[in-house]
Amino acid sequence: MKKILLLIVFAFTALPLWADVSPKPEMEFTFIYRTAQTPRILPDASEQIQCKDNQCIQAQPLGTYGLQKLYCAPENCFSIAYEYDHYQKLIIGFADGSKRESNIFKTPDTLRSGFKVYVDDHALTVEPAPLENPSSILMRRDAWTSFIIILVLELAAAWAFLTYTDKPYRVLYAVAISNIITMFVSWRFLAAYISETAFLWIFCFVFESVFIWLCNRKVLSWKEAGYLGLAANVTSYSLGMMISFYIAPWLF
């Protein structure tokens, strides 16, 4: 068992925490027009610029890398990144042929953050703002897809663990229920208050392990529940990393 634990820990430390299918750093932009017309946003003519300093001397486009991208609809935009630089800037193209550039704004210290984008005749002004509808993320395709992927991977890992240790398969019910709880809490609440996905992993691992143990104290010791929680979470993070890159074009 100790060899399995060491192998799991090694695999976990060798993988980037930011590349799985859990909530990522995300910015939501709500556009408010202070112009006579309200032209549509052109997604292909818009980009988010990453800046390492507050003068944007060292800058590069956010670009497209797996899930990382600026996603724009005709009325609004949001971006996802595996990791944002310290400062940001928007360059938005509109259907009337104009292209407006924003002020440089600081990256917030939370995974999910909201902004108001004021559209003037020749420029954009970006200001921090509360998220318009925090619960809406639970209805998005990426949230539900992530939940299904994580649930399937963790149930598969738990099944393999229970088979290897000759434990009853009824433990899988606790694994499934704990995943539903951690998914809801992580996506709906924690992502709006923490800045690192590593904290989400720790929360999921600790909560799920304790929940599994409390529901199965007659058949699992607290150490075995911890090993099971670790195996399930490392599996979902490591394999989820690869899956997220393949399915990214179909999530939005």
Side-chain angles (χ1 to χ4, degrees), residues 184-204:
F184 178 80
V185 174
S186 297
W187 284 82
R188 174 62 178 83
F189 295 105
L190 293 184
Y193 297 101
I194 65 174
S195 58
E196 298 291 339
T197 55
F199 291 113
L200 289 180
W201 188 90
I202 293 171
F203 163 74
C204 292

PDB file of all heavy atoms in Angstrom, residues 184-204:
ATOM      1  N   PHE A 184     -20.186  21.049  -6.860  1.00  0.00           N
ATOM      2  CA  PHE A 184     -21.055  22.202  -6.643  1.00  0.00           C
ATOM      3  C   PHE A 184     -20.335  23.292  -5.844  1.00  0.00           C
ATOM      4  O   PHE A 184     -20.349  24.473  -6.231  1.00  0.00           O
ATOM      5  CB  PHE A 184     -22.325  21.769  -5.903  1.00  0.00           C
ATOM      6  CG  PHE A 184     -23.253  22.904  -5.591  1.00  0.00           C
ATOM      7  CD1 PHE A 184     -24.109  23.404  -6.561  1.00  0.00           C
ATOM      8  CD2 PHE A 184     -23.258  23.488  -4.332  1.00  0.00           C
ATOM      9  CE1 PHE A 184     -24.963  24.469  -6.278  1.00  0.00           C
ATOM     10  CE2 PHE A 184     -24.100  24.551  -4.041  1.00  0.00           C
ATOM     11  CZ  PHE A 184     -24.952  25.032  -5.014  1.00  0.00           C
ATOM     12  N   VAL A 185     -19.679  22.912  -4.759  1.00  0.00           N
ATOM     13  CA  VAL A 185     -19.003  23.902  -3.909  1.00  0.00           C
ATOM     14  C   VAL A 185     -17.842  24.558  -4.652  1.00  0.00           C
ATOM     15  O   VAL A 185     -17.644  25.768  -4.584  1.00  0.00           O
ATOM     16  CB  VAL A 185     -18.519  23.233  -2.612  1.00  0.00           C
ATOM     17  CG1 VAL A 185     -17.682  24.207  -1.785  1.00  0.00           C
ATOM     18  CG2 VAL A 185     -19.709  22.751  -1.788  1.00  0.00           C
ATOM     19  N   SER A 186     -17.062  23.768  -5.396  1.00  0.00           N
ATOM     20  CA  SER A 186     -15.888  24.298  -6.096  1.00  0.00           C
ATOM     21  C   SER A 186     -16.276  25.295  -7.179  1.00  0.00           C
ATOM     22  O   SER A 186     -15.734  26.401  -7.259  1.00  0.00           O
ATOM     23  CB  SER A 186     -15.069  23.166  -6.709  1.00  0.00           C
ATOM     24  OG  SER A 186     -14.555  22.320  -5.715  1.00  0.00           O
ATOM     25  N   TRP A 187     -17.210  24.899  -8.062  1.00  0.00           N
ATOM     26  CA  TRP A 187     -17.580  25.741  -9.190  1.00  0.00           C
ATOM     27  C   TRP A 187     -18.440  26.932  -8.764  1.00  0.00           C
ATOM     28  O   TRP A 187     -18.270  28.033  -9.285  1.00  0.00           O
ATOM     29  CB  TRP A 187     -18.317  24.923 -10.245  1.00  0.00           C
ATOM     30  CG  TRP A 187     -17.424  24.047 -11.057  1.00  0.00           C
ATOM     31  CD1 TRP A 187     -16.942  22.818 -10.707  1.00  0.00           C
ATOM     32  CD2 TRP A 187     -16.872  24.328 -12.348  1.00  0.00           C
ATOM     33  NE1 TRP A 187     -16.144  22.314 -11.708  1.00  0.00           N
ATOM     34  CE2 TRP A 187     -16.086  23.218 -12.726  1.00  0.00           C
ATOM     35  CE3 TRP A 187     -16.992  25.410 -13.233  1.00  0.00           C
ATOM     36  CZ2 TRP A 187     -15.414  23.165 -13.939  1.00  0.00           C
ATOM     37  CZ3 TRP A 187     -16.328  25.351 -14.455  1.00  0.00           C
ATOM     38  CH2 TRP A 187     -15.544  24.238 -14.792  1.00  0.00           C
ATOM     39  N   ARG A 188     -19.362  26.709  -7.806  1.00  0.00           N
ATOM     40  CA  ARG A 188     -20.308  27.765  -7.445  1.00  0.00           C
ATOM     41  C   ARG A 188     -19.734  28.765  -6.459  1.00  0.00           C
ATOM     42  O   ARG A 188     -20.012  29.967  -6.546  1.00  0.00           O
ATOM     43  CB  ARG A 188     -21.584  27.130  -6.859  1.00  0.00           C
ATOM     44  CG  ARG A 188     -22.599  28.136  -6.311  1.00  0.00           C
ATOM     45  CD  ARG A 188     -23.109  29.073  -7.401  1.00  0.00           C
ATOM     46  NE  ARG A 188     -24.106  29.991  -6.876  1.00  0.00           N
ATOM     47  CZ  ARG A 188     -23.840  31.122  -6.239  1.00  0.00           C
ATOM     48  NH1 ARG A 188     -22.558  31.458  -6.051  1.00  0.00           N
ATOM     49  NH2 ARG A 188     -24.795  31.898  -5.802  1.00  0.00           N
ATOM     50  N   PHE A 189     -18.907  28.319  -5.515  1.00  0.00           N
ATOM     51  CA  PHE A 189     -18.474  29.196  -4.440  1.00  0.00           C
ATOM     52  C   PHE A 189     -16.958  29.418  -4.396  1.00  0.00           C
ATOM     53  O   PHE A 189     -16.489  30.556  -4.500  1.00  0.00           O
ATOM     54  CB  PHE A 189     -18.935  28.634  -3.084  1.00  0.00           C
ATOM     55  CG  PHE A 189     -20.430  28.602  -2.929  1.00  0.00           C
ATOM     56  CD1 PHE A 189     -21.113  27.395  -3.013  1.00  0.00           C
ATOM     57  CD2 PHE A 189     -21.146  29.760  -2.715  1.00  0.00           C
ATOM     58  CE1 PHE A 189     -22.488  27.351  -2.885  1.00  0.00           C
ATOM     59  CE2 PHE A 189     -22.528  29.733  -2.587  1.00  0.00           C
ATOM     60  CZ  PHE A 189     -23.196  28.527  -2.668  1.00  0.00           C
ATOM     61  N   LEU A 190     -16.178  28.354  -4.257  1.00  0.00           N
ATOM     62  CA  LEU A 190     -14.750  28.518  -4.007  1.00  0.00           C
ATOM     63  C   LEU A 190     -14.024  29.250  -5.126  1.00  0.00           C
ATOM     64  O   LEU A 190     -13.106  30.025  -4.866  1.00  0.00           O
ATOM     65  CB  LEU A 190     -14.098  27.151  -3.776  1.00  0.00           C
ATOM     66  CG  LEU A 190     -14.525  26.411  -2.503  1.00  0.00           C
ATOM     67  CD1 LEU A 190     -13.723  25.122  -2.361  1.00  0.00           C
ATOM     68  CD2 LEU A 190     -14.339  27.287  -1.278  1.00  0.00           C
ATOM     69  N   ALA A 191     -14.413  29.015  -6.386  1.00  0.00           N
ATOM     70  CA  ALA A 191     -13.724  29.653  -7.508  1.00  0.00           C
ATOM     71  C   ALA A 191     -13.831  31.174  -7.472  1.00  0.00           C
ATOM     72  O   ALA A 191     -13.011  31.875  -8.065  1.00  0.00           O
ATOM     73  CB  ALA A 191     -14.280  29.136  -8.828  1.00  0.00           C
ATOM     74  N   ALA A 192     -14.831  31.712  -6.763  1.00  0.00           N
ATOM     75  CA  ALA A 192     -15.002  33.157  -6.675  1.00  0.00           C
ATOM     76  C   ALA A 192     -14.193  33.773  -5.537  1.00  0.00           C
ATOM     77  O   ALA A 192     -14.154  34.998  -5.410  1.00  0.00           O
ATOM     78  CB  ALA A 192     -16.477  33.502  -6.495  1.00  0.00           C
ATOM     79  N   TYR A 193     -13.526  32.921  -4.730  1.00  0.00           N
ATOM     80  CA  TYR A 193     -12.833  33.454  -3.557  1.00  0.00           C
ATOM     81  C   TYR A 193     -11.371  33.056  -3.454  1.00  0.00           C
ATOM     82  O   TYR A 193     -10.622  33.671  -2.699  1.00  0.00           O
ATOM     83  CB  TYR A 193     -13.546  33.004  -2.276  1.00  0.00           C
ATOM     84  CG  TYR A 193     -14.955  33.538  -2.170  1.00  0.00           C
ATOM     85  CD1 TYR A 193     -16.046  32.727  -2.469  1.00  0.00           C
ATOM     86  CD2 TYR A 193     -15.205  34.853  -1.799  1.00  0.00           C
ATOM     87  CE1 TYR A 193     -17.342  33.209  -2.393  1.00  0.00           C
ATOM     88  CE2 TYR A 193     -16.496  35.345  -1.713  1.00  0.00           C
ATOM     89  CZ  TYR A 193     -17.559  34.514  -2.014  1.00  0.00           C
ATOM     90  OH  TYR A 193     -18.845  34.992  -1.946  1.00  0.00           O
ATOM     91  N   ILE A 194     -10.933  32.036  -4.178  1.00  0.00           N
ATOM     92  CA  ILE A 194      -9.547  31.611  -4.092  1.00  0.00           C
ATOM     93  C   ILE A 194      -8.843  31.883  -5.416  1.00  0.00           C
ATOM     94  O   ILE A 194      -9.481  32.085  -6.446  1.00  0.00           O
ATOM     95  CB  ILE A 194      -9.431  30.123  -3.720  1.00  0.00           C
ATOM     96  CG1 ILE A 194     -10.013  29.249  -4.838  1.00  0.00           C
ATOM     97  CG2 ILE A 194     -10.131  29.831  -2.403  1.00  0.00           C
ATOM     98  CD1 ILE A 194      -9.792  27.774  -4.599  1.00  0.00           C
ATOM     99  N   SER A 195      -7.517  31.860  -5.384  1.00  0.00           N
ATOM    100  CA  SER A 195      -6.756  32.227  -6.576  1.00  0.00           C
ATOM    101  C   SER A 195      -5.978  31.068  -7.191  1.00  0.00           C
ATOM    102  O   SER A 195      -5.453  31.200  -8.292  1.00  0.00           O
ATOM    103  CB  SER A 195      -5.761  33.348  -6.223  1.00  0.00           C
ATOM    104  OG  SER A 195      -4.877  32.928  -5.185  1.00  0.00           O
ATOM    105  N   GLU A 196      -5.885  29.932  -6.507  1.00  0.00           N
ATOM    106  CA  GLU A 196      -5.089  28.820  -7.001  1.00  0.00           C
ATOM    107  C   GLU A 196      -5.921  27.542  -7.089  1.00  0.00           C
ATOM    108  O   GLU A 196      -6.639  27.190  -6.155  1.00  0.00           O
ATOM    109  CB  GLU A 196      -3.886  28.569  -6.073  1.00  0.00           C
ATOM    110  CG  GLU A 196      -2.917  29.734  -5.969  1.00  0.00           C
ATOM    111  CD  GLU A 196      -2.151  29.977  -7.246  1.00  0.00           C
ATOM    112  OE1 GLU A 196      -2.062  29.031  -8.062  1.00  0.00           O
ATOM    113  OE2 GLU A 196      -1.645  31.088  -7.430  1.00  0.00           O
ATOM    114  N   THR A 197      -5.783  26.835  -8.212  1.00  0.00           N
ATOM    115  CA  THR A 197      -6.497  25.568  -8.350  1.00  0.00           C
ATOM    116  C   THR A 197      -5.949  24.510  -7.398  1.00  0.00           C
ATOM    117  O   THR A 197      -6.630  23.524  -7.109  1.00  0.00           O
ATOM    118  CB  THR A 197      -6.404  25.044  -9.792  1.00  0.00           C
ATOM    119  OG1 THR A 197      -5.022  24.943 -10.172  1.00  0.00           O
ATOM    120  CG2 THR A 197      -7.137  25.956 -10.750  1.00  0.00           C
ATOM    121  N   ALA A 198      -4.722  24.709  -6.900  1.00  0.00           N
ATOM    122  CA  ALA A 198      -4.168  23.755  -5.939  1.00  0.00           C
ATOM    123  C   ALA A 198      -5.041  23.665  -4.695  1.00  0.00           C
ATOM    124  O   ALA A 198      -5.220  22.587  -4.113  1.00  0.00           O
ATOM    125  CB  ALA A 198      -2.748  24.169  -5.553  1.00  0.00           C
ATOM    126  N   PHE A 199      -5.612  24.810  -4.271  1.00  0.00           N
ATOM    127  CA  PHE A 199      -6.483  24.791  -3.104  1.00  0.00           C
ATOM    128  C   PHE A 199      -7.753  23.992  -3.378  1.00  0.00           C
ATOM    129  O   PHE A 199      -8.291  23.345  -2.475  1.00  0.00           O
ATOM    130  CB  PHE A 199      -6.836  26.218  -2.690  1.00  0.00           C
ATOM    131  CG  PHE A 199      -5.663  26.984  -2.140  1.00  0.00           C
ATOM    132  CD1 PHE A 199      -5.158  28.072  -2.830  1.00  0.00           C
ATOM    133  CD2 PHE A 199      -5.067  26.614  -0.951  1.00  0.00           C
ATOM    134  CE1 PHE A 199      -4.070  28.774  -2.336  1.00  0.00           C
ATOM    135  CE2 PHE A 199      -3.978  27.309  -0.450  1.00  0.00           C
ATOM    136  CZ  PHE A 199      -3.472  28.393  -1.146  1.00  0.00           C
ATOM    137  N   LEU A 200      -8.247  24.052  -4.614  1.00  0.00           N
ATOM    138  CA  LEU A 200      -9.411  23.252  -4.973  1.00  0.00           C
ATOM    139  C   LEU A 200      -9.088  21.761  -4.868  1.00  0.00           C
ATOM    140  O   LEU A 200      -9.902  20.974  -4.389  1.00  0.00           O
ATOM    141  CB  LEU A 200      -9.870  23.580  -6.397  1.00  0.00           C
ATOM    142  CG  LEU A 200     -10.521  24.942  -6.630  1.00  0.00           C
ATOM    143  CD1 LEU A 200     -10.901  25.088  -8.096  1.00  0.00           C
ATOM    144  CD2 LEU A 200     -11.738  25.124  -5.754  1.00  0.00           C
ATOM    145  N   TRP A 201      -7.906  21.376  -5.342  1.00  0.00           N
ATOM    146  CA  TRP A 201      -7.519  19.974  -5.259  1.00  0.00           C
ATOM    147  C   TRP A 201      -7.438  19.517  -3.810  1.00  0.00           C
ATOM    148  O   TRP A 201      -7.935  18.435  -3.456  1.00  0.00           O
ATOM    149  CB  TRP A 201      -6.176  19.749  -5.949  1.00  0.00           C
ATOM    150  CG  TRP A 201      -5.838  18.290  -6.064  1.00  0.00           C
ATOM    151  CD1 TRP A 201      -6.148  17.450  -7.094  1.00  0.00           C
ATOM    152  CD2 TRP A 201      -5.171  17.484  -5.095  1.00  0.00           C
ATOM    153  NE1 TRP A 201      -5.701  16.181  -6.824  1.00  0.00           N
ATOM    154  CE2 TRP A 201      -5.094  16.167  -5.609  1.00  0.00           C
ATOM    155  CE3 TRP A 201      -4.618  17.753  -3.840  1.00  0.00           C
ATOM    156  CZ2 TRP A 201      -4.501  15.128  -4.914  1.00  0.00           C
ATOM    157  CZ3 TRP A 201      -4.027  16.707  -3.141  1.00  0.00           C
ATOM    158  CH2 TRP A 201      -3.970  15.413  -3.678  1.00  0.00           C
ATOM    159  N   ILE A 202      -6.836  20.339  -2.960  1.00  0.00           N
ATOM    160  CA  ILE A 202      -6.717  19.978  -1.545  1.00  0.00           C
ATOM    161  C   ILE A 202      -8.096  19.847  -0.909  1.00  0.00           C
ATOM    162  O   ILE A 202      -8.371  18.899  -0.155  1.00  0.00           O
ATOM    163  CB  ILE A 202      -5.868  21.027  -0.802  1.00  0.00           C
ATOM    164  CG1 ILE A 202      -4.420  20.974  -1.305  1.00  0.00           C
ATOM    165  CG2 ILE A 202      -5.914  20.788   0.707  1.00  0.00           C
ATOM    166  CD1 ILE A 202      -3.556  22.103  -0.782  1.00  0.00           C
ATOM    167  N   PHE A 203      -8.985  20.797  -1.212  1.00  0.00           N
ATOM    168  CA  PHE A 203     -10.347  20.733  -0.662  1.00  0.00           C
ATOM    169  C   PHE A 203     -11.044  19.456  -1.104  1.00  0.00           C
ATOM    170  O   PHE A 203     -11.646  18.745  -0.282  1.00  0.00           O
ATOM    171  CB  PHE A 203     -11.146  21.954  -1.108  1.00  0.00           C
ATOM    172  CG  PHE A 203     -12.634  21.781  -0.948  1.00  0.00           C
ATOM    173  CD1 PHE A 203     -13.217  21.818   0.308  1.00  0.00           C
ATOM    174  CD2 PHE A 203     -13.445  21.563  -2.060  1.00  0.00           C
ATOM    175  CE1 PHE A 203     -14.587  21.633   0.458  1.00  0.00           C
ATOM    176  CE2 PHE A 203     -14.812  21.392  -1.923  1.00  0.00           C
ATOM    177  CZ  PHE A 203     -15.388  21.427  -0.659  1.00  0.00           C
ATOM    178  N   CYS A 204     -10.985  19.141  -2.403  1.00  0.00           N
ATOM    179  CA  CYS A 204     -11.662  17.952  -2.924  1.00  0.00           C
ATOM    180  C   CYS A 204     -11.088  16.685  -2.300  1.00  0.00           C
ATOM    181  O   CYS A 204     -11.835  15.790  -1.887  1.00  0.00           O
ATOM    182  CB  CYS A 204     -11.546  17.894  -4.441  1.00  0.00           C
ATOM    183  SG  CYS A 204     -12.452  19.187  -5.306  1.00  0.00           S
TER     184      CYS A 204
END
